Each structure stands twice: as structure tokens, then as C-alpha cells.
PDB file of all heavy atoms in Angstrom:
ATOM      1  N   LEU W   1     -12.396  -8.077  -9.871  1.00 71.00           N
ATOM      2  CA  LEU W   1     -12.659  -6.646  -9.817  1.00 71.00           C
ATOM      3  C   LEU W   1     -13.496  -6.287  -8.592  1.00 71.00           C
ATOM      4  O   LEU W   1     -13.274  -5.262  -7.946  1.00 71.00           O
ATOM      5  CB  LEU W   1     -13.391  -6.194 -11.085  1.00 71.00           C
ATOM      6  CG  LEU W   1     -12.560  -6.152 -12.367  1.00 71.00           C
ATOM      7  CD1 LEU W   1     -13.441  -5.766 -13.547  1.00 71.00           C
ATOM      8  CD2 LEU W   1     -11.412  -5.170 -12.227  1.00 71.00           C
ATOM      9  N   VAL W   2     -14.457  -7.138  -8.270  1.00 68.00           N
ATOM     10  CA  VAL W   2     -15.307  -6.873  -7.110  1.00 68.00           C
ATOM     11  C   VAL W   2     -14.487  -6.847  -5.832  1.00 68.00           C
ATOM     12  O   VAL W   2     -14.593  -5.928  -5.021  1.00 68.00           O
ATOM     13  CB  VAL W   2     -16.435  -7.926  -6.995  1.00 68.00           C
ATOM     14  CG1 VAL W   2     -17.166  -7.782  -5.668  1.00 68.00           C
ATOM     15  CG2 VAL W   2     -17.418  -7.755  -8.143  1.00 68.00           C
ATOM     16  N   VAL W   3     -13.655  -7.862  -5.633  1.00 68.00           N
ATOM     17  CA  VAL W   3     -12.914  -7.933  -4.378  1.00 68.00           C
ATOM     18  C   VAL W   3     -11.820  -6.872  -4.314  1.00 68.00           C
ATOM     19  O   VAL W   3     -11.476  -6.381  -3.242  1.00 68.00           O
ATOM     20  CB  VAL W   3     -12.346  -9.348  -4.150  1.00 68.00           C
ATOM     21  CG1 VAL W   3     -11.125  -9.601  -5.001  1.00 68.00           C
ATOM     22  CG2 VAL W   3     -12.014  -9.562  -2.675  1.00 68.00           C
ATOM     23  N   LEU W   4     -11.269  -6.466  -5.466  1.00 77.00           N
ATOM     24  CA  LEU W   4     -10.274  -5.399  -5.459  1.00 77.00           C
ATOM     25  C   LEU W   4     -10.860  -4.098  -4.916  1.00 77.00           C
ATOM     26  O   LEU W   4     -10.147  -3.268  -4.355  1.00 77.00           O
ATOM     27  CB  LEU W   4      -9.719  -5.173  -6.870  1.00 77.00           C
ATOM     28  CG  LEU W   4      -8.707  -6.193  -7.386  1.00 77.00           C
ATOM     29  CD1 LEU W   4      -8.307  -5.868  -8.825  1.00 77.00           C
ATOM     30  CD2 LEU W   4      -7.481  -6.256  -6.503  1.00 77.00           C
ATOM     31  N   GLN W   5     -12.171  -3.934  -5.072  1.00 73.00           N
ATOM     32  CA  GLN W   5     -12.816  -2.728  -4.563  1.00 73.00           C
ATOM     33  C   GLN W   5     -12.723  -2.629  -3.050  1.00 73.00           C
ATOM     34  O   GLN W   5     -12.845  -1.545  -2.482  1.00 73.00           O
ATOM     35  CB  GLN W   5     -14.291  -2.699  -4.981  1.00 73.00           C
ATOM     36  CG  GLN W   5     -14.509  -2.578  -6.474  1.00 73.00           C
ATOM     37  CD  GLN W   5     -15.962  -2.745  -6.845  1.00 73.00           C
ATOM     38  OE1 GLN W   5     -16.858  -2.650  -6.004  1.00 73.00           O
ATOM     39  NE2 GLN W   5     -16.218  -2.998  -8.115  1.00 73.00           N
ATOM     40  N   THR W   6     -12.528  -3.751  -2.383  1.00 71.00           N
ATOM     41  CA  THR W   6     -12.494  -3.737  -0.913  1.00 71.00           C
ATOM     42  C   THR W   6     -11.111  -3.391  -0.370  1.00 71.00           C
ATOM     43  O   THR W   6     -10.956  -3.224   0.839  1.00 71.00           O
ATOM     44  CB  THR W   6     -12.915  -5.119  -0.359  1.00 71.00           C
ATOM     45  OG1 THR W   6     -11.884  -6.078  -0.637  1.00 71.00           O
ATOM     46  CG2 THR W   6     -14.229  -5.579  -0.978  1.00 71.00           C
ATOM     47  N   LEU W   7     -10.109  -3.291  -1.233  1.00 80.00           N
ATOM     48  CA  LEU W   7      -8.748  -3.026  -0.775  1.00 80.00           C
ATOM     49  C   LEU W   7      -8.484  -1.537  -0.636  1.00 80.00           C
ATOM     50  O   LEU W   7      -9.070  -0.720  -1.341  1.00 80.00           O
ATOM     51  CB  LEU W   7      -7.736  -3.619  -1.761  1.00 80.00           C
ATOM     52  CG  LEU W   7      -7.831  -5.110  -2.058  1.00 80.00           C
ATOM     53  CD1 LEU W   7      -6.775  -5.495  -3.089  1.00 80.00           C
ATOM     54  CD2 LEU W   7      -7.675  -5.937  -0.800  1.00 80.00           C
ATOM     55  N   ALA W   8      -7.567  -1.196   0.264  1.00 83.00           N
ATOM     56  CA  ALA W   8      -7.097   0.182   0.359  1.00 83.00           C
ATOM     57  C   ALA W   8      -6.341   0.523  -0.920  1.00 83.00           C
ATOM     58  O   ALA W   8      -5.773  -0.367  -1.572  1.00 83.00           O
ATOM     59  CB  ALA W   8      -6.188   0.341   1.578  1.00 83.00           C
ATOM     60  N   PRO W   9      -6.310   1.815  -1.329  1.00 89.00           N
ATOM     61  CA  PRO W   9      -5.665   2.182  -2.595  1.00 89.00           C
ATOM     62  C   PRO W   9      -4.252   1.651  -2.757  1.00 89.00           C
ATOM     63  O   PRO W   9      -3.914   1.078  -3.805  1.00 89.00           O
ATOM     64  CB  PRO W   9      -5.693   3.715  -2.559  1.00 89.00           C
ATOM     65  CG  PRO W   9      -6.928   4.036  -1.776  1.00 89.00           C
ATOM     66  CD  PRO W   9      -6.981   2.979  -0.711  1.00 89.00           C
ATOM     67  N   ALA W  10      -3.391   1.818  -1.760  1.00 91.00           N
ATOM     68  CA  ALA W  10      -2.006   1.369  -1.889  1.00 91.00           C
ATOM     69  C   ALA W  10      -1.930  -0.154  -1.990  1.00 91.00           C
ATOM     70  O   ALA W  10      -1.089  -0.697  -2.727  1.00 91.00           O
ATOM     71  CB  ALA W  10      -1.175   1.862  -0.713  1.00 91.00           C
ATOM     72  N   GLU W  11      -2.793  -0.875  -1.264  1.00 90.00           N
ATOM     73  CA  GLU W  11      -2.829  -2.335  -1.359  1.00 90.00           C
ATOM     74  C   GLU W  11      -3.211  -2.766  -2.767  1.00 90.00           C
ATOM     75  O   GLU W  11      -2.624  -3.681  -3.344  1.00 90.00           O
ATOM     76  CB  GLU W  11      -3.841  -2.902  -0.366  1.00 90.00           C
ATOM     77  CG  GLU W  11      -3.462  -2.775   1.088  1.00 90.00           C
ATOM     78  CD  GLU W  11      -4.548  -3.287   2.010  1.00 90.00           C
ATOM     79  OE1 GLU W  11      -5.709  -3.431   1.561  1.00 90.00           O
ATOM     80  OE2 GLU W  11      -4.251  -3.534   3.191  1.00 90.00           O
ATOM     81  N   ARG W  12      -4.198  -2.099  -3.311  1.00 89.00           N
ATOM     82  CA  ARG W  12      -4.689  -2.444  -4.636  1.00 89.00           C
ATOM     83  C   ARG W  12      -3.609  -2.247  -5.692  1.00 89.00           C
ATOM     84  O   ARG W  12      -3.388  -3.105  -6.555  1.00 89.00           O
ATOM     85  CB  ARG W  12      -5.906  -1.573  -4.951  1.00 89.00           C
ATOM     86  CG  ARG W  12      -6.644  -1.932  -6.217  1.00 89.00           C
ATOM     87  CD  ARG W  12      -7.977  -1.230  -6.229  1.00 89.00           C
ATOM     88  NE  ARG W  12      -8.744  -1.539  -7.408  1.00 89.00           N
ATOM     89  CZ  ARG W  12     -10.028  -1.239  -7.560  1.00 89.00           C
ATOM     90  NH1 ARG W  12     -10.676  -0.643  -6.590  1.00 89.00           N
ATOM     91  NH2 ARG W  12     -10.661  -1.533  -8.674  1.00 89.00           N
ATOM     92  N   VAL W  13      -2.913  -1.114  -5.613  1.00 92.00           N
ATOM     93  CA  VAL W  13      -1.863  -0.821  -6.583  1.00 92.00           C
ATOM     94  C   VAL W  13      -0.714  -1.819  -6.460  1.00 92.00           C
ATOM     95  O   VAL W  13      -0.222  -2.360  -7.458  1.00 92.00           O
ATOM     96  CB  VAL W  13      -1.359   0.623  -6.407  1.00 92.00           C
ATOM     97  CG1 VAL W  13      -0.097   0.862  -7.230  1.00 92.00           C
ATOM     98  CG2 VAL W  13      -2.447   1.611  -6.809  1.00 92.00           C
ATOM     99  N   ALA W  14      -0.281  -2.092  -5.232  1.00 93.00           N
ATOM    100  CA  ALA W  14       0.827  -3.022  -5.023  1.00 93.00           C
ATOM    101  C   ALA W  14       0.466  -4.418  -5.519  1.00 93.00           C
ATOM    102  O   ALA W  14       1.281  -5.102  -6.165  1.00 93.00           O
ATOM    103  CB  ALA W  14       1.204  -3.061  -3.539  1.00 93.00           C
ATOM    104  N   PHE W  15      -0.742  -4.868  -5.241  1.00 91.00           N
ATOM    105  CA  PHE W  15      -1.174  -6.195  -5.674  1.00 91.00           C
ATOM    106  C   PHE W  15      -1.243  -6.279  -7.195  1.00 91.00           C
ATOM    107  O   PHE W  15      -0.743  -7.245  -7.800  1.00 91.00           O
ATOM    108  CB  PHE W  15      -2.538  -6.531  -5.068  1.00 91.00           C
ATOM    109  CG  PHE W  15      -3.130  -7.810  -5.590  1.00 91.00           C
ATOM    110  CD1 PHE W  15      -2.720  -9.031  -5.083  1.00 91.00           C
ATOM    111  CD2 PHE W  15      -4.080  -7.794  -6.604  1.00 91.00           C
ATOM    112  CE1 PHE W  15      -3.252 -10.225  -5.574  1.00 91.00           C
ATOM    113  CE2 PHE W  15      -4.611  -8.971  -7.105  1.00 91.00           C
ATOM    114  CZ  PHE W  15      -4.198 -10.190  -6.583  1.00 91.00           C
ATOM    115  N   VAL W  16      -1.872  -5.315  -7.828  1.00 90.00           N
ATOM    116  CA  VAL W  16      -2.031  -5.354  -9.279  1.00 90.00           C
ATOM    117  C   VAL W  16      -0.679  -5.323  -9.976  1.00 90.00           C
ATOM    118  O   VAL W  16      -0.409  -6.113 -10.886  1.00 90.00           O
ATOM    119  CB  VAL W  16      -2.920  -4.181  -9.753  1.00 90.00           C
ATOM    120  CG1 VAL W  16      -2.869  -4.052 -11.272  1.00 90.00           C
ATOM    121  CG2 VAL W  16      -4.362  -4.396  -9.311  1.00 90.00           C
ATOM    122  N   LEU W  17       0.194  -4.417  -9.542  1.00 92.00           N
ATOM    123  CA  LEU W  17       1.490  -4.284 -10.204  1.00 92.00           C
ATOM    124  C   LEU W  17       2.353  -5.532 -10.026  1.00 92.00           C
ATOM    125  O   LEU W  17       3.031  -5.962 -10.955  1.00 92.00           O
ATOM    126  CB  LEU W  17       2.236  -3.056  -9.682  1.00 92.00           C
ATOM    127  CG  LEU W  17       1.655  -1.704 -10.084  1.00 92.00           C
ATOM    128  CD1 LEU W  17       2.491  -0.574  -9.489  1.00 92.00           C
ATOM    129  CD2 LEU W  17       1.572  -1.560 -11.602  1.00 92.00           C
ATOM    130  N   HIS W  18       2.325  -6.126  -8.822  1.00 91.00           N
ATOM    131  CA  HIS W  18       3.188  -7.287  -8.583  1.00 91.00           C
ATOM    132  C   HIS W  18       2.548  -8.587  -9.022  1.00 91.00           C
ATOM    133  O   HIS W  18       3.126  -9.348  -9.812  1.00 91.00           O
ATOM    134  CB  HIS W  18       3.560  -7.381  -7.102  1.00 91.00           C
ATOM    135  CG  HIS W  18       4.488  -8.525  -6.818  1.00 91.00           C
ATOM    136  ND1 HIS W  18       4.017  -9.771  -6.428  1.00 91.00           N
ATOM    137  CD2 HIS W  18       5.832  -8.637  -6.916  1.00 91.00           C
ATOM    138  CE1 HIS W  18       5.045 -10.585  -6.276  1.00 91.00           C
ATOM    139  NE2 HIS W  18       6.160  -9.930  -6.566  1.00 91.00           N
ATOM    140  N   ASP W  19       1.350  -8.895  -8.524  1.00 86.00           N
ATOM    141  CA  ASP W  19       0.768 -10.216  -8.757  1.00 86.00           C
ATOM    142  C   ASP W  19       0.211 -10.383 -10.166  1.00 86.00           C
ATOM    143  O   ASP W  19       0.148 -11.504 -10.677  1.00 86.00           O
ATOM    144  CB  ASP W  19      -0.330 -10.490  -7.737  1.00 86.00           C
ATOM    145  CG  ASP W  19       0.236 -10.852  -6.375  1.00 86.00           C
ATOM    146  OD1 ASP W  19       1.163 -10.178  -5.919  1.00 86.00           O
ATOM    147  OD2 ASP W  19      -0.243 -11.819  -5.779  1.00 86.00           O
ATOM    148  N   ILE W  20      -0.199  -9.290 -10.792  1.00 85.00           N
ATOM    149  CA  ILE W  20      -0.787  -9.407 -12.125  1.00 85.00           C
ATOM    150  C   ILE W  20       0.209  -9.025 -13.218  1.00 85.00           C
ATOM    151  O   ILE W  20       0.279  -9.668 -14.261  1.00 85.00           O
ATOM    152  CB  ILE W  20      -2.069  -8.552 -12.229  1.00 85.00           C
ATOM    153  CG1 ILE W  20      -3.122  -9.073 -11.231  1.00 85.00           C
ATOM    154  CG2 ILE W  20      -2.638  -8.589 -13.647  1.00 85.00           C
ATOM    155  CD1 ILE W  20      -4.405  -8.307 -11.223  1.00 85.00           C
ATOM    156  N   PHE W  21       1.017  -7.971 -12.951  1.00 87.00           N
ATOM    157  CA  PHE W  21       1.945  -7.501 -13.980  1.00 87.00           C
ATOM    158  C   PHE W  21       3.403  -7.789 -13.645  1.00 87.00           C
ATOM    159  O   PHE W  21       4.299  -7.383 -14.379  1.00 87.00           O
ATOM    160  CB  PHE W  21       1.730  -6.007 -14.234  1.00 87.00           C
ATOM    161  CG  PHE W  21       0.416  -5.722 -14.909  1.00 87.00           C
ATOM    162  CD1 PHE W  21      -0.677  -5.285 -14.175  1.00 87.00           C
ATOM    163  CD2 PHE W  21       0.266  -5.932 -16.266  1.00 87.00           C
ATOM    164  CE1 PHE W  21      -1.887  -5.042 -14.786  1.00 87.00           C
ATOM    165  CE2 PHE W  21      -0.949  -5.694 -16.893  1.00 87.00           C
ATOM    166  CZ  PHE W  21      -2.033  -5.250 -16.154  1.00 87.00           C
ATOM    167  N   ASP W  22       3.635  -8.471 -12.535  1.00 88.00           N
ATOM    168  CA  ASP W  22       4.966  -9.010 -12.222  1.00 88.00           C
ATOM    169  C   ASP W  22       6.051  -7.943 -12.101  1.00 88.00           C
ATOM    170  O   ASP W  22       7.213  -8.192 -12.413  1.00 88.00           O
ATOM    171  CB  ASP W  22       5.368 -10.047 -13.274  1.00 88.00           C
ATOM    172  CG  ASP W  22       6.415 -11.028 -12.753  1.00 88.00           C
ATOM    173  OD1 ASP W  22       6.429 -11.267 -11.532  1.00 88.00           O
ATOM    174  OD2 ASP W  22       7.208 -11.535 -13.554  1.00 88.00           O
ATOM    175  N   LEU W  23       5.695  -6.751 -11.626  1.00 91.00           N
ATOM    176  CA  LEU W  23       6.705  -5.736 -11.377  1.00 91.00           C
ATOM    177  C   LEU W  23       7.410  -6.027 -10.063  1.00 91.00           C
ATOM    178  O   LEU W  23       6.768  -6.441  -9.092  1.00 91.00           O
ATOM    179  CB  LEU W  23       6.089  -4.338 -11.318  1.00 91.00           C
ATOM    180  CG  LEU W  23       6.166  -3.502 -12.603  1.00 91.00           C
ATOM    181  CD1 LEU W  23       5.283  -4.125 -13.678  1.00 91.00           C
ATOM    182  CD2 LEU W  23       5.748  -2.070 -12.331  1.00 91.00           C
ATOM    183  N   PRO W  24       8.713  -5.818  -9.987  1.00 92.00           N
ATOM    184  CA  PRO W  24       9.429  -6.041  -8.719  1.00 92.00           C
ATOM    185  C   PRO W  24       9.056  -4.970  -7.701  1.00 92.00           C
ATOM    186  O   PRO W  24       8.706  -3.838  -8.057  1.00 92.00           O
ATOM    187  CB  PRO W  24      10.903  -5.937  -9.129  1.00 92.00           C
ATOM    188  CG  PRO W  24      10.906  -5.111 -10.364  1.00 92.00           C
ATOM    189  CD  PRO W  24       9.624  -5.429 -11.086  1.00 92.00           C
ATOM    190  N   PHE W  25       9.170  -5.324  -6.430  1.00 93.00           N
ATOM    191  CA  PHE W  25       8.780  -4.385  -5.373  1.00 93.00           C
ATOM    192  C   PHE W  25       9.678  -3.152  -5.333  1.00 93.00           C
ATOM    193  O   PHE W  25       9.252  -2.097  -4.871  1.00 93.00           O
ATOM    194  CB  PHE W  25       8.774  -5.100  -4.019  1.00 93.00           C
ATOM    195  CG  PHE W  25       7.651  -6.078  -3.875  1.00 93.00           C
ATOM    196  CD1 PHE W  25       7.894  -7.441  -3.801  1.00 93.00           C
ATOM    197  CD2 PHE W  25       6.336  -5.645  -3.828  1.00 93.00           C
ATOM    198  CE1 PHE W  25       6.852  -8.349  -3.684  1.00 93.00           C
ATOM    199  CE2 PHE W  25       5.285  -6.540  -3.707  1.00 93.00           C
ATOM    200  CZ  PHE W  25       5.547  -7.895  -3.638  1.00 93.00           C
ATOM    201  N   GLU W  26      10.887  -3.275  -5.840  1.00 93.00           N
ATOM    202  CA  GLU W  26      11.772  -2.117  -5.898  1.00 93.00           C
ATOM    203  C   GLU W  26      11.209  -1.046  -6.821  1.00 93.00           C
ATOM    204  O   GLU W  26      11.422   0.151  -6.600  1.00 93.00           O
ATOM    205  CB  GLU W  26      13.167  -2.540  -6.374  1.00 93.00           C
ATOM    206  CG  GLU W  26      13.958  -3.357  -5.365  1.00 93.00           C
ATOM    207  CD  GLU W  26      13.454  -4.791  -5.239  1.00 93.00           C
ATOM    208  OE1 GLU W  26      12.708  -5.250  -6.142  1.00 93.00           O
ATOM    209  OE2 GLU W  26      13.806  -5.456  -4.239  1.00 93.00           O
ATOM    210  N   GLU W  27      10.455  -1.445  -7.856  1.00 92.00           N
ATOM    211  CA  GLU W  27       9.831  -0.490  -8.760  1.00 92.00           C
ATOM    212  C   GLU W  27       8.471  -0.035  -8.247  1.00 92.00           C
ATOM    213  O   GLU W  27       8.022   1.077  -8.549  1.00 92.00           O
ATOM    214  CB  GLU W  27       9.687  -1.101 -10.154  1.00 92.00           C
ATOM    215  CG  GLU W  27      11.014  -1.373 -10.842  1.00 92.00           C
ATOM    216  CD  GLU W  27      10.832  -1.922 -12.248  1.00 92.00           C
ATOM    217  OE1 GLU W  27       9.757  -1.701 -12.836  1.00 92.00           O
ATOM    218  OE2 GLU W  27      11.764  -2.573 -12.755  1.00 92.00           O
ATOM    219  N   ILE W  28       7.814  -0.890  -7.486  1.00 94.00           N
ATOM    220  CA  ILE W  28       6.502  -0.538  -6.934  1.00 94.00           C
ATOM    221  C   ILE W  28       6.636   0.450  -5.786  1.00 94.00           C
ATOM    222  O   ILE W  28       5.784   1.325  -5.589  1.00 94.00           O
ATOM    223  CB  ILE W  28       5.770  -1.814  -6.461  1.00 94.00           C
ATOM    224  CG1 ILE W  28       5.506  -2.735  -7.660  1.00 94.00           C
ATOM    225  CG2 ILE W  28       4.459  -1.478  -5.750  1.00 94.00           C
ATOM    226  CD1 ILE W  28       4.986  -4.105  -7.267  1.00 94.00           C
ATOM    227  N   ALA W  29       7.719   0.324  -5.018  1.00 94.00           N
ATOM    228  CA  ALA W  29       7.914   1.141  -3.821  1.00 94.00           C
ATOM    229  C   ALA W  29       7.739   2.640  -4.068  1.00 94.00           C
ATOM    230  O   ALA W  29       6.968   3.303  -3.346  1.00 94.00           O
ATOM    231  CB  ALA W  29       9.285   0.852  -3.205  1.00 94.00           C
ATOM    232  N   PRO W  30       8.409   3.241  -5.077  1.00 92.00           N
ATOM    233  CA  PRO W  30       8.220   4.679  -5.272  1.00 92.00           C
ATOM    234  C   PRO W  30       6.817   5.058  -5.729  1.00 92.00           C
ATOM    235  O   PRO W  30       6.360   6.178  -5.495  1.00 92.00           O
ATOM    236  CB  PRO W  30       9.267   5.020  -6.348  1.00 92.00           C
ATOM    237  CG  PRO W  30       9.593   3.740  -7.019  1.00 92.00           C
ATOM    238  CD  PRO W  30       9.450   2.689  -5.976  1.00 92.00           C
ATOM    239  N   VAL W  31       6.105   4.133  -6.362  1.00 93.00           N
ATOM    240  CA  VAL W  31       4.737   4.420  -6.800  1.00 93.00           C
ATOM    241  C   VAL W  31       3.823   4.619  -5.599  1.00 93.00           C
ATOM    242  O   VAL W  31       3.019   5.551  -5.549  1.00 93.00           O
ATOM    243  CB  VAL W  31       4.202   3.284  -7.699  1.00 93.00           C
ATOM    244  CG1 VAL W  31       2.739   3.545  -8.062  1.00 93.00           C
ATOM    245  CG2 VAL W  31       5.048   3.141  -8.949  1.00 93.00           C
ATOM    246  N   VAL W  32       3.945   3.730  -4.610  1.00 92.00           N
ATOM    247  CA  VAL W  32       3.071   3.799  -3.430  1.00 92.00           C
ATOM    248  C   VAL W  32       3.681   4.634  -2.306  1.00 92.00           C
ATOM    249  O   VAL W  32       3.071   4.793  -1.249  1.00 92.00           O
ATOM    250  CB  VAL W  32       2.720   2.388  -2.909  1.00 92.00           C
ATOM    251  CG1 VAL W  32       1.910   1.625  -3.947  1.00 92.00           C
ATOM    252  CG2 VAL W  32       3.972   1.601  -2.528  1.00 92.00           C
TER     253      VAL W  32
END
């Protein structure tokens, strides 16, 4: 949580959705 604070908003969202919740980038793309 501490290091996530250092990320830009779009980086944080893309990382959380893909690396933690395993969403494909095709679904993440419209979010960011």
C-alpha cells in the first residue's frame, strides 16, 4: 500500500487490476 502511493493514478489502476486481480489488458484499457 505504501509503494502504491508513489504511482501515478493510471499506473496504480492498471497494476492493481492486472497483477492483483488478473484482469486482461483489453478490459483495463477502457478504464484508464
Side-chain angles (χ1 to χ4, degrees):
L1 288 177
V2 171
V3 77
L4 284 177
Q5 295 172 17
T6 70
L7 303 178
E11 291 177 342
R12 188 167 181 168
V13 170
F15 173 81
V16 169
L17 290 180
H18 182 267
D19 284 45
I20 297 179
F21 291 100
D22 203 29
L23 262 68
F25 289 113
E26 289 74 17
E27 294 183 22
I28 297 171
V31 176
V32 296

